[in-house]
Amino acid sequence: MLILPLHKPLNLATLPLVTVLLVVANVMVYFGWQLGDERRIEAAQAWYRQSGLGEYEVPAYEKHLRLTTRRDALANLEAVPEAQRAGFVGMSTLGDVAFLAALEEGRLFESAQQHGAWQALRRPYQARLDEVFTLRHVMRSSEWSPARMLSSAFLHGGFMHLLGNMVFLVILGLLLEGALGRWRFLGVYLLGAFGASLASLWWRWGESGSGLGASGAIAAVMGAFCVVWGTRPVRFFYWFGVVFDYVRAPAIWLLPLWLGWEVYNLLANAEAGIGFDAHAGGLMAGAALGGLLVLTRQVRGDYMADDAGAAAVDGRWEQALQHMGRLENAAAERLLVELAGEQPHRLDVAVARYRVACNAGRPADMQARALDLLRLDAGGDAAGLAAQQEIAKKGLAAGMPPTAEAARLLFERCLKAGWLQEAEAALERVAAEPGGEPAQAWLRLALRHGELHAREQQRRLLAVLEQRYPQAPQAAKARFLLEND
């Protein structure tokens, strides 16, 4: 089963910086420190088999299994041919903390001399194991080590393991980092990694073995995403066997599906060698952290509402564009009204509604849609900025806007975008309205020209300010600037 939210496009505007840095960190750990570990382990095991260390540890391991009533492990050992048991024990006990502790204490040997002989052989072998980066930092079952519980989340068992985790991290990080902000997202990732390790440790306490991988932390990001996005509809891709499709559904619906799948596999496929326990623990830890952030109002609703990636969620956007291309204005407007109601911050929808009003030749609707578009922050959207500038130029030339409030909105948008000629024209419209107080606006416009080193334009506007509003406090500032220019 695969359920993956694909709801926002990855571009410079939505680039999740912390997510990218986490990917870089995981990649660097794998290629910089882990890559040669398999060869180092093989070399250590070859030394183990040739050194005679197995002659001490194989009977000690069998005794340990009988004392701890680990019948399954004992059956596995007895099924291995005598000649291969040393190699089997060497690999099987790499993460067996209880067995290693019992060996160190000497409880598994017949005499102190035998214990001493074992120690003499174990030291050079242990020195070889200590050179293996993964073994130094992996989380070991039945061992309380907060450092290993966190460091293991940056280790991977192979390139495909790393690649799969990083793909999920980028997709989910794109959705959650923007909704939480960088530092909160990093906190969820790290605390979620620890929570996933804690759950795995609790579930596997008393067992031997180890766990590694970023999937527990990524599961925490999944859980937090479900709670933070809540009932907002998101687009996700699902794949069950030969059935796959894109579907739109509330994000919170994914939480029981993901958690149920992990719990089912934890109980039904315990021997799969996959950390379903860590996945389930990460999901619950992330959901709890996400719930805390939602309750304390530390989420960015604007990021989740302003969703350009949902354009193709259910085909309405494409249908609206097709209606516009055929000049079917009424049909296009019906779809665009629905999209604007669900996603009021979408700039492309606002632009489309303005175009429909223009195509239909409805002046009142054109002005209303133009103001709707001007109220939105285009940011780095080149198409949106171009549409807003077009409205500013055409609207002012045609006598728009009709009210001082609309003129002030147009002035603020033009000033912010750097369209200073249009900003001045809008300001003249504000000045024509009874009760207008544009002195501060004239000063801001003059100073903006100064920032652009247009000194003549700055002096002209300061002179206008001084002449039109001689009693305003801004006029005194204008005189000072003129006298000291």
Side-chain angles (χ1 to χ4, degrees):
M1 182 187 77
L2 175 66
I3 303 176
L4 191 61
L6 299 171
H7 196 62
K8 272 188 176 288
L10 180 61
N11 51 46
L12 288 177
T14 60
L15 182 68
L17 180 60
V18 169
T19 299
V20 172
L21 292 177
L22 287 171
V23 170
V24 171
N26 278 277
V27 170
M28 288 182 63
V29 168
Y30 179 76
F31 285 101
W33 289 281
Q34 280 193 271
L35 197 57
D37 280 355
E38 185 175 350
R39 174 179 50 80
R40 297 184 188 98
I41 291 176
E42 289 176 355
Q45 291 304 302
W47 189 94
Y48 182 93
R49 293 189 297 271
Q50 296 169 6
S51 67
L53 185 57
E55 295 177 9
Y56 296 93
E57 293 197 357
V58 169
Y61 186 54
E62 183 176 358
K63 183 178 181 180
H64 173 72
L65 295 180
R66 293 185 187 281
L67 290 172
T68 55
T69 64
R70 290 167 55 186
R71 295 184 178 86
D72 291 343
L74 181 60
N76 291 335
L77 175 63
E78 292 174 343
V80 177
E82 289 282 350
Q84 300 175 13
R85 285 190 181 181
F88 177 82
V89 170
M91 286 298 296
S92 299
T93 60
L94 288 175
D96 196 330
V97 177
F99 174 62
L100 297 177
L103 286 173
E104 290 291 347
E105 294 170 6
R107 291 185 281 111
L108 301 177
F109 298 104
E110 300 299 329
S111 65
Q113 291 80 5
Q114 191 180 44
H115 184 214
W118 168 82
Q119 286 180 319
L121 289 174
R122 181 73 194 193
R123 289 190 193 99
Y125 173 61
Q126 190 62 48
R128 286 170 168 78
L129 294 182
D130 290 342
E131 295 177 359
V132 181
F133 182 86
T134 302
L135 295 181
R136 295 202 308 271
H137 298 283
V138 73
M139 185 189 75
R140 298 184 295 193
S141 302
S142 308
E143 179 186 41
W144 173 254
S145 174
R148 286 176 176 266
M149 291 167 70
L150 186 59
S151 64
S152 62
F154 292 87
L155 304 176
H156 288 87
F159 176 73
M160 294 308 297
H161 185 203
L162 171 70
L163 179 62
N165 277 343
M166 294 306 99
V167 169
F168 272 80
L169 176 56
V170 169
I171 292 172
L172 291 162
L174 173 65
L175 295 170
L176 189 62
E177 184 177 333
L180 294 182
R182 293 170 181 171
W183 293 111
R184 295 186 190 95
F185 173 78
L186 180 61
V188 167
Y189 185 89
L190 296 178
L191 290 174
F194 191 83
S197 295
L198 187 63
S200 180
L201 200 64
W202 171 77
W203 182 260
R204 298 186 182 278
W205 192 267
E207 299 181 7
S208 64
S210 56
L212 79 175
S215 53
I218 295 169
V221 173
M222 288 178 171
F225 156 73
C226 292
V227 175
V228 169
W229 281 72
T231 57
R232 291 177 176 85
V234 296
R235 181 173 61 123
F236 64 88
F237 172 78
Y238 69 88
W239 183 6
F240 296 91
V242 297
V243 179
F244 57 91
D245 200 356
Y246 287 94
V247 176
R248 192 185 190 201
I252 194 65
W253 288 10
L254 298 181
L255 182 59
L257 289 174
W258 276 331
L259 184 58
W261 177 252
E262 299 299 341
V263 171
Y264 165 76
N265 280 283
L266 178 61
L267 300 176
N269 298 307
E271 304 302 321
I274 299 174
F276 297 115
D277 46 348
H279 298 175
L283 278 165
M284 291 187 289
L289 291 167
L292 179 63
L293 292 170
V294 170
L295 289 174
T296 54
R297 301 180 182 276
Q298 298 187 64
V299 299
R300 296 169 54 190
D302 57 336
Y303 181 85
M304 292 181 280
D306 185 12
D307 179 36
V313 165
D314 55 6
R316 285 179 296 171
W317 174 245
E318 287 82 357
Q319 293 174 23
L321 294 180
Q322 291 172 4
H323 287 309
M324 289 175 64
R326 295 193 291 264
L327 295 181
E328 298 168 352
N329 299 312
E333 177 65 8
R334 281 195 299 271
L335 294 171
L336 292 171
V337 167
E338 293 178 7
L339 291 171
E342 296 171 7
Q343 303 163 54
H345 297 280
R346 277 189 56 183
L347 194 67
D348 55 351
V349 172
V351 172
R353 294 193 70 193
Y354 172 70
R355 300 289 185 214
V356 168
C358 292
N359 293 339
R362 299 191 299 264
D365 287 346
M366 288 171 57
Q367 291 184 353
R369 299 292 78 76
L371 293 178
D372 289 343
L373 178 54
L374 290 172
R375 290 188 181 97
L376 299 179
D377 186 357
D381 189 325
L385 283 170
Q388 288 180 333
Q389 188 172 26
E390 175 191 339
I391 287 172
K393 289 181 177 180
K394 290 184 177 180
L396 289 167
M400 181 204 146
T403 66
E405 179 184 1
R408 291 190 188 95
L409 172 63
L410 183 57
F411 167 76
E412 293 293 341
R413 182 60 63 207
C414 292
L415 184 66
K416 182 176 182 179
W419 309 324
L420 302 189
Q421 183 177 352
E422 290 81 5
E424 184 174 348
L427 195 52
E428 291 285 5
R429 184 72 179 85
V430 175
E433 289 292 323
E437 298 178 359
Q440 180 63 25
W442 282 104
L443 180 61
R444 290 171 59 200
L445 182 58
L447 294 176
R448 186 62 185 275
H449 277 291
E451 292 171 1
L452 299 175
H453 306 291
R455 297 297 180 188
E456 291 300 321
Q457 292 295 332
Q458 182 184 33
R459 290 181 61 82
R460 179 180 65 81
L461 293 174
L462 290 173
V464 170
L465 170 58
E466 183 184 19
Q467 179 183 0
R468 294 188 183 181
Y469 310 97
Q471 303 304 318
Q474 292 81 2
K477 295 180 181 179
R479 283 191 291 271
F480 176 81
L481 292 172
L482 287 169
E483 292 169 0
N484 291 275
D485 189 2

